[in-house]
């Protein structure tokens, strides 16, 4: 089968677009058609299919394949200490706090959650901090739990944290590094859909929700923020991406204290 000859029709793209929105609330605009075709081509090759219509039939008959499809579509690039200003803010808060709970609400492969853990463990007693990470993508959550990464990702980690918490891999893990096991044991990762409330995880002092809102329409953004509010303490901080804002919100639950950093006021 020549994969270069497999084209994704507008009708087929509409099917995937609708399914992704229904499952996780993510809006795929037309510019994402090539990305969708490229990522789902892996499943066509896996099943030895000739077209996307055949793959759609499998999706309609197999709910487990839906999870695989969502995992492929929602995999995004991330790295440690992304948007450094946010971690400078976190470091300042950590230095002033005796205990902190932080939730990385779209944690991907765990780089954000572990970056947070490096800081909290440095400035707060190990029994007085907690970091949780969640994502809709089960495969990236599995990777996050392992705490094992390609060596090229270590470059963004400040030396004071890299030297203390990152162990160079050897033998089977040559070219990789491992997060110190005392941290991987303390950071809890779980699968979560931001369209649903998380009543079981309690309240947090800080919630990271970065590079997520751009994938939702305004109505869905409202739902996501309302669910996040359920877990954010009054006085706590919501941190979004530097390229995002909360101008779409109808409520006045937040005040902006820095670019992309908001405090819950009620």
């Amino acid at each position: 089968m020549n994969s270069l000859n497999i084209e994704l029709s507008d009708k087929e793209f509409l099917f995937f677009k609708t399914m992704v929105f229904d499952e996780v609330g993510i809006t795929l605009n037309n510019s994402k058609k090539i990305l969708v075709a490229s990522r789902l081509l892996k499943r066509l090759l896996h099943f030895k299919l000739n077209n996307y219509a055949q793959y759609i039939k499998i999706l309609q008959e197999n709910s487990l394949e839906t999870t695989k499809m969502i995992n492929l579509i929602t995999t995004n690039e991330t790295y440690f200490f992304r948007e450094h200003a946010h971690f400078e803010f976190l470091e300042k808060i950590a230095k002033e706090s005796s205990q902190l709970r932080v939730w990385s609400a779209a944690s991907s492969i765990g780089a954000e959650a572990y970056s947070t853990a490096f800081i909290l463990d440095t400035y707060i007693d190990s029994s007085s901090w907690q970091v949780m990470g969640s994502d809709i993508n089960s495969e990236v959550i599995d990777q996050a739990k392992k705490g094992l990464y390609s060596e090229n990702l270590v470059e963004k980690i400040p030396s004071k944290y890299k030297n203390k918490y990152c162990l160079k891999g050897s033998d089977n893990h040559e070219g990789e590094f491992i997060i110190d096991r005392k941290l991987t044991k303390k950071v809890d990762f779980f699968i979560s859909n931001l369209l649903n409330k998380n009543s079981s995880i309690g309240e947090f002092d800080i919630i990271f929700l970065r590079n997520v809102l751009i994938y939702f329409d305004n109505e869905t953004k409202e739902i996501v923020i309302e669910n996040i509010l359920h877990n954010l303490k009054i006085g706590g901080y919501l941190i979004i991406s530097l390229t995002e804002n909360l101008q779409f919100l109808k409520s006045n639950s937040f005040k902006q204290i820095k670019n992309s950093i908001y405090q819950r006021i009620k």
Side-chain angles (χ1 to χ4, degrees):
M1 179 177 61
N2 183 354
S3 62
L4 296 179
N5 293 331
I6 301 177
E7 293 187 7
L8 177 65
S9 71
D10 289 342
K11 183 178 179 181
E12 291 161 347
F13 175 63
L14 179 60
F15 173 88
F16 294 123
K17 180 177 178 178
T18 302
M19 193 171 193
V20 169
F21 181 81
D22 289 344
E23 291 287 331
V24 295
I26 291 176
T27 300
L28 298 172
N29 59 41
N30 292 336
S31 68
K32 300 294 184 184
K33 183 179 175 182
I34 294 174
L35 178 145
V36 169
S38 173
R39 291 190 176 179
L40 296 187
L41 180 61
K42 298 172 186 176
R43 300 308 290 165
L44 270 67
L45 296 175
H46 172 79
F47 288 113
K48 298 185 167 98
L49 304 177
N50 296 312
N51 53 59
Y52 289 95
Q54 291 175 333
Y55 182 58
I56 287 172
K57 187 175 181 182
I58 291 175
L59 282 171
Q60 291 170 327
E61 296 172 351
N62 186 343
S63 59
L64 292 177
E65 186 58 30
T66 299
T67 301
K68 296 245 182 219
M69 186 270 286
I70 294 296
N71 283 348
L72 283 170
I73 296 298
T74 59
T75 299
N76 296 300
E77 181 186 0
T78 187
Y79 51 87
F80 289 82
F81 288 86
R82 184 176 185 175
E83 298 181 346
H84 196 74
H86 292 157
F87 292 101
E88 289 180 343
F89 175 78
L90 176 63
E91 196 171 74
K92 178 178 179 293
I93 296 296
K95 288 176 179 178
E96 298 169 351
S97 303
S98 58
Q99 58 183 25
L100 276 178
R101 292 191 82 226
V102 181
W103 177 20
S104 171
S107 61
S108 186
I109 59 173
E112 179 177 271
Y114 286 125
S115 298
T116 298
F118 296 160
I119 293 172
L120 301 196
D121 192 65
T122 298
Y123 295 104
I124 300 175
D125 184 87
S126 61
S127 64
S128 299
W129 65 265
Q130 183 181 23
V131 175
M132 301 187 81
S134 67
D135 203 281
I136 188 67
N137 186 321
S138 60
E139 292 179 1
V140 296
I141 287 296
D142 288 342
Q143 182 178 350
K145 289 177 179 178
K146 293 175 184 174
L148 180 66
Y149 299 97
S150 171
E151 209 168 57
N152 60 12
L153 289 179
V154 82
E155 297 170 1
K156 299 278 188 180
I157 303 175
S159 296
K160 63 180 177 180
Y161 300 126
K162 176 169 56 181
N163 296 338
K164 187 176 181 182
Y165 297 111
C166 301
L167 310 175
K168 186 178 177 66
S170 59
D171 299 328
N172 291 340
H173 297 304
E174 189 75 35
E176 298 176 304
F177 73 95
I178 303 167
I179 303 296
D180 190 313
R181 288 316 180 208
K182 77 173 184 178
L183 287 195
T184 57
K185 289 176 182 176
K186 273 192 62 75
V187 181
D188 297 315
F189 292 99
F190 62 100
I191 298 170
S192 175
N193 188 333
L194 292 172
L195 298 184
N196 303 323
K197 279 189 171 66
N198 284 283
S199 300
S200 62
I201 61 175
E203 290 187 321
F204 294 86
D205 302 286
I206 298 172
I207 297 177
F208 284 94
L209 185 69
R210 305 188 303 168
N211 303 293
V212 178
L213 295 175
I214 55 173
Y215 296 106
F216 301 129
D217 61 24
N218 282 350
E219 183 180 351
T220 309
K221 287 177 185 177
E222 288 268 4
I223 294 169
V224 169
I225 294 297
E226 185 62 34
N227 290 340
I228 289 292
L229 264 175
H230 184 69
N231 297 102
L232 183 62
K233 294 178 181 178
I234 294 178
Y237 300 98
L238 174 64
I239 302 179
I240 62 176
S241 170
L242 292 171
T243 60
E244 299 168 327
N245 61 67
L246 297 184
Q247 292 177 359
F248 60 87
L249 276 183
K250 297 184 180 72
S251 67
N252 55 352
S253 301
F254 294 99
K255 70 174 180 180
Q256 185 171 2
I257 61 166
K258 286 180 178 288
N259 181 20
S260 68
I261 300 176
Y262 297 81
Q263 186 173 32
R264 183 179 178 184
I265 55 176
K266 68 175 184 176

